[in-house]
Amino acid sequence: MDVLFVDSGNPWNPKPETISKVMATLKGVHGVLKAGGTFISVTFGQPHFRRPIFNAPDFSWSVEWTTFGETFHYFVYVLKKGQRSSHDDIPPVKRFEARLLIYFMKS
């Protein structure tokens, strides 16, 4: 996902072509996930920038997130198809160890 935001301009108001590319990518991901399927995105993109996109009405997935890292934080988004999250306040998933994340990324 981060590569799609490289030339996005202002992160608070990304260029329309950036949003178009991001939405096309997410629609593709959403289309191939079966009910109950999970998409994990590891990114530098902070929740106040990513959650509005992940929570677009086009998608029927829940959005959970957590962080790891000390100096630079990575944000881990877990999107599960089949159940929508609240638009008001999306609680972060329980913090998990980075080694568990690495296990999932290698699997």
Side-chain angles (χ1 to χ4, degrees):
M1 293 281 303
D2 285 352
V3 73
L4 299 173
F5 284 94
V6 169
D7 294 327
S8 67
N10 180 348
W12 294 100
N13 188 21
K15 295 176 184 176
E17 56 269 20
T18 299
I19 295 300
S20 178
K21 291 176 188 176
V22 169
M23 290 300 291
T25 299
L26 290 175
K27 286 178 182 178
V29 168
H30 191 267
V32 299
L33 284 178
K34 64 180 183 175
T38 302
F39 172 64
I40 298 173
S41 176
V42 181
T43 177
F44 287 114
Q46 298 172 344
H48 50 271
F49 298 126
R50 294 295 198 264
R51 289 186 337 170
I53 297 167
F54 289 147
N55 272 322
D58 306 66
F59 310 122
S60 61
W61 50 34
S62 62
V63 179
E64 299 174 330
W65 61 275
T66 191
T67 62
F68 72 92
E70 293 181 19
T71 304
F72 293 99
H73 290 96
Y74 294 91
F75 298 89
V76 180
Y77 298 92
V78 180
L79 291 71
K80 295 182 183 175
K81 188 173 181 179
Q83 182 178 347
R84 294 276 304 168
S85 296
S86 165
H87 290 278
D88 298 331
D89 185 36
I90 302 169
V93 295
K94 292 181 182 177
R95 187 171 295 276
F96 50 88
E97 297 294 327
R99 67 178 180 270
L100 180 61
L101 176 65
I102 292 168
Y103 169 77
F104 283 117
M105 291 172 64
K106 288 182 178 179
S107 297

